[in-house]
Amino acid sequence: MLALDGGTRLVPEGAVAPWPHIVDADRKAVLDALDAATPWHWPMRAVRELEEAWGEYTSMPYVLAANSGTAALHMAIAAAGVEPGDEVLVPADTFLASASCVLQANAIPVFVDTDIDTFALDPALIEERITSRTRAIIAVDLNGLPADHDALAAVAERHGLTLIEDAAQAHGATYRGRPVGSLGAMSGASLNGSKTLSALGEGGLFATRDEEQFKLARRVLMFGEELPGQGRDYNARIMGWNYRIDVLAAAFARSQLARLPEMTRAREANGAALTAALAGVPGIRPPVVPADRTHVYFFYPLLVMPEELGLDPADVPVEAFRDALEEAVNAEGLGIMRWQPRPVPAQTLFQDLRGYGRGCPWTCGHAAPGHAYRPEEYPVSEEICRRRLVLGQSFSSLGPPNDEGTMRLFADVFHKVLVEERDALLALARRRAAEAP
């Protein structure tokens, strides 16, 4: 019997360890940073150590730690020379920050549809969106899987565009042997507490190979100042922000980074074990991992496929089946949820074009006229958002200390709900369809 109908839940309370995985070394790193935090100065040792370690890990010579991945992406947009009215290509299925960082430069996000297998920017659709105003491409490594960076880089090179990697969800993954964070001309990565490299609170990392880009990004990081040597001249050259990372967050992230290879191996093994255990379970499609890259499963995305169960969409729409499956799986004690229920261009910000007031940046006199965001122009992203449920993050983590035994428990839930108690699930789906407005 489904737990939802009064049966015993399959996943006992406390059986799944939350993320991030905190050990004594992390606690010591934070306490050491606390002891070293006075007298206050910038940058503190823990911040410099994090920047140096990320530079070594990615082989990117210039790194800046910031207070969020969103800030790091804004720094990258500024360092790419994006100015008011310029256009930047962004995947339609991503987190808002991949697009809002463009608005922060008074520039215009132009969305491109995504690939149904990888959930990443589709290189075949890029060139039809390029105009004389296009300056950059943001490639997002979504869910923990790198985008097809070589194909995107080829397009960028042909058109003289800057390729910016949004590495927020995929620290530890590789593409053709190269680590995430090193796959674009620049990269921005999040250290949000839920991420595969965590600062426990908030944080971010900007990286580049170019010294001039580094200097521009550093101005954005700290009040528009130049920061000659180790001092400050308190002279803002441009409009800058205060994007400095908290020293305790930096210390925690630095400690986690020391174990990132080990934690990545566990994630890869867990994801592969879960996918193998779900083989033959109908009604869901596990994530696809191309042979030229690795997946670290910040999210383990599932696409619901009610057609495999013989359901007529006129009787039970995909949405009703998806919601019933989410409800039943959660009741069994396994955290699953929808993520990004609509493509970014379908969000109110882009539908209303209010921007940051009076329609800017679209109406500020620099942008090309006539911008509009039509969700139907991104059919693959729309279909992904309609069918997607995700495991992962902190609530059903694929990270350590969870192991392959934990993954078998995850798979047992889906086997129970979609095979053993399928009739009860379909009855629930029909009720949800009848209740829909």
Side-chain angles (χ1 to χ4, degrees):
M1 181 183 294
L2 290 175
L4 200 62
D5 295 330
T8 302
R9 59 184 268 179
L10 269 183
V11 181
E13 190 75 35
V16 181
W19 184 261
H21 179 39
I22 301 173
V23 300
D24 286 344
D26 303 323
R27 298 181 180 93
K28 182 178 185 303
V30 172
L31 290 174
D32 287 349
L34 182 65
D35 289 340
T38 55
W40 196 94
H41 59 281
W42 187 264
M44 295 186 182
R45 185 182 68 199
V47 176
R48 291 197 304 271
E49 289 176 349
L50 173 61
E51 293 170 341
E52 291 165 1
W54 186 244
E56 181 178 351
Y57 183 84
T58 60
S59 298
M60 296 289 265
Y62 301 103
V63 175
L64 290 165
N67 59 16
S68 69
T70 303
L73 287 174
H74 180 201
M75 291 156 60
I77 288 291
V82 175
E83 295 189 339
D86 289 345
E87 296 174 1
V88 177
L89 303 183
V90 180
D93 181 34
T94 184
F95 181 65
L96 175 65
S98 307
S100 62
C101 64
V102 179
L103 298 180
Q104 287 177 281
N106 206 10
I108 308 298
V110 173
F111 293 97
V112 182
D113 211 358
T114 47
D115 180 83
I116 191 65
D117 288 329
T118 64
F119 302 87
L121 197 61
D122 188 338
L125 302 177
I126 290 277
E127 289 184 290
E128 65 189 49
R129 295 284 178 170
I130 294 174
T131 73
S132 61
R133 295 172 178 265
T134 308
R135 297 291 175 266
I137 302 169
I138 295 181
V140 182
D141 304 322
L142 203 66
N143 301 313
L145 181 71
D148 190 353
H149 282 272
D150 283 356
L152 295 171
V155 176
E157 185 174 355
R158 277 199 301 275
H159 295 273
L161 308 177
T162 301
L163 182 62
I164 298 170
E165 180 187 11
D166 179 346
Q169 296 185 358
H171 324 74
T174 59
Y175 172 82
R176 300 181 178 178
R178 309 193 305 269
V180 156
S182 71
L183 302 176
M186 287 176 281
S187 64
S190 171
L191 298 174
N192 169 274
S194 66
K195 296 301 195 294
T196 56
L197 178 60
S198 171
L200 191 59
E202 296 286 348
L205 291 163
F206 164 89
T208 181
R209 296 179 181 86
D210 186 275
E211 186 176 7
E212 289 306 310
Q213 291 174 344
F214 169 75
K215 289 178 179 177
L216 287 169
R218 191 172 58 183
R219 287 179 179 179
V220 176
L221 173 82
M222 194 162 169
F223 307 108
E225 297 177 21
E226 197 57 53
L227 302 179
Q230 291 300 308
R232 295 177 60 183
D233 64 358
Y234 293 94
N235 179 23
R237 272 73 169 182
I238 63 169
M239 179 63 192
W241 280 256
N242 180 4
Y243 281 161
R244 294 176 294 192
I245 191 172
D246 176 82
V247 65
L248 302 184
F252 185 87
R254 173 64 188 95
S255 179
Q256 291 267 306
L257 179 53
R259 299 199 315 284
L260 183 60
E262 168 193 339
M263 296 191 295
T264 295
R265 287 191 292 272
R267 284 181 171 277
E268 291 174 359
N270 285 342
L274 179 55
T275 297
L278 291 176
V281 176
I284 51 173
R285 195 205 80 175
V288 174
V289 185
D292 62 356
R293 62 202 87 170
T294 63
H295 202 315
V296 292
Y297 305 100
F298 168 69
F299 283 132
Y300 187 95
L302 294 161
L303 297 184
V304 302
M305 310 295 288
E307 301 87 346
E308 294 180 357
L309 303 178
L311 288 179
D312 182 349
D315 176 33
V316 180
V318 168
E319 294 84 350
F321 177 79
R322 177 201 66 215
D323 293 348
L325 181 62
E326 179 185 11
E327 193 174 349
V329 169
N330 274 308
E332 297 296 334
L334 177 59
I336 192 169
M337 70 173 189
R338 293 188 72 190
W339 184 77
Q340 298 300 320
R342 60 185 61 80
V344 175
Q347 294 189 25
T348 302
L349 169 62
F350 295 100
Q351 291 300 295
D352 289 356
L353 294 182
R354 184 176 181 276
Y356 48 84
R358 297 182 178 175
C360 288
W362 297 278
T363 61
C364 284
H366 298 286
H371 278 285
Y373 297 99
R374 303 174 182 88
E376 63 271 15
E377 294 182 3
Y378 319 101
V380 174
S381 294
E382 281 205 307
E383 194 66 8
I384 289 171
C385 292
R386 191 165 73 104
R387 294 179 180 267
R388 176 174 51 206
L389 293 171
V390 298
L391 304 169
Q393 215 179 43
S394 186
F395 52 89
S396 48
S397 171
L398 274 73
N402 298 317
D403 57 18
E404 294 184 25
T406 317
M407 298 305 107
R408 286 193 293 273
L409 187 57
F410 286 11
D412 287 345
V413 171
F414 288 100
H415 193 272
K416 175 182 178 180
V417 170
L418 286 164
V419 179
E420 298 169 12
E421 301 292 341
R422 183 183 302 169
D423 290 344
L425 175 67
L426 299 186
L428 175 62
R430 291 188 174 95
R431 291 200 301 274
R432 294 296 172 260
E435 294 165 0

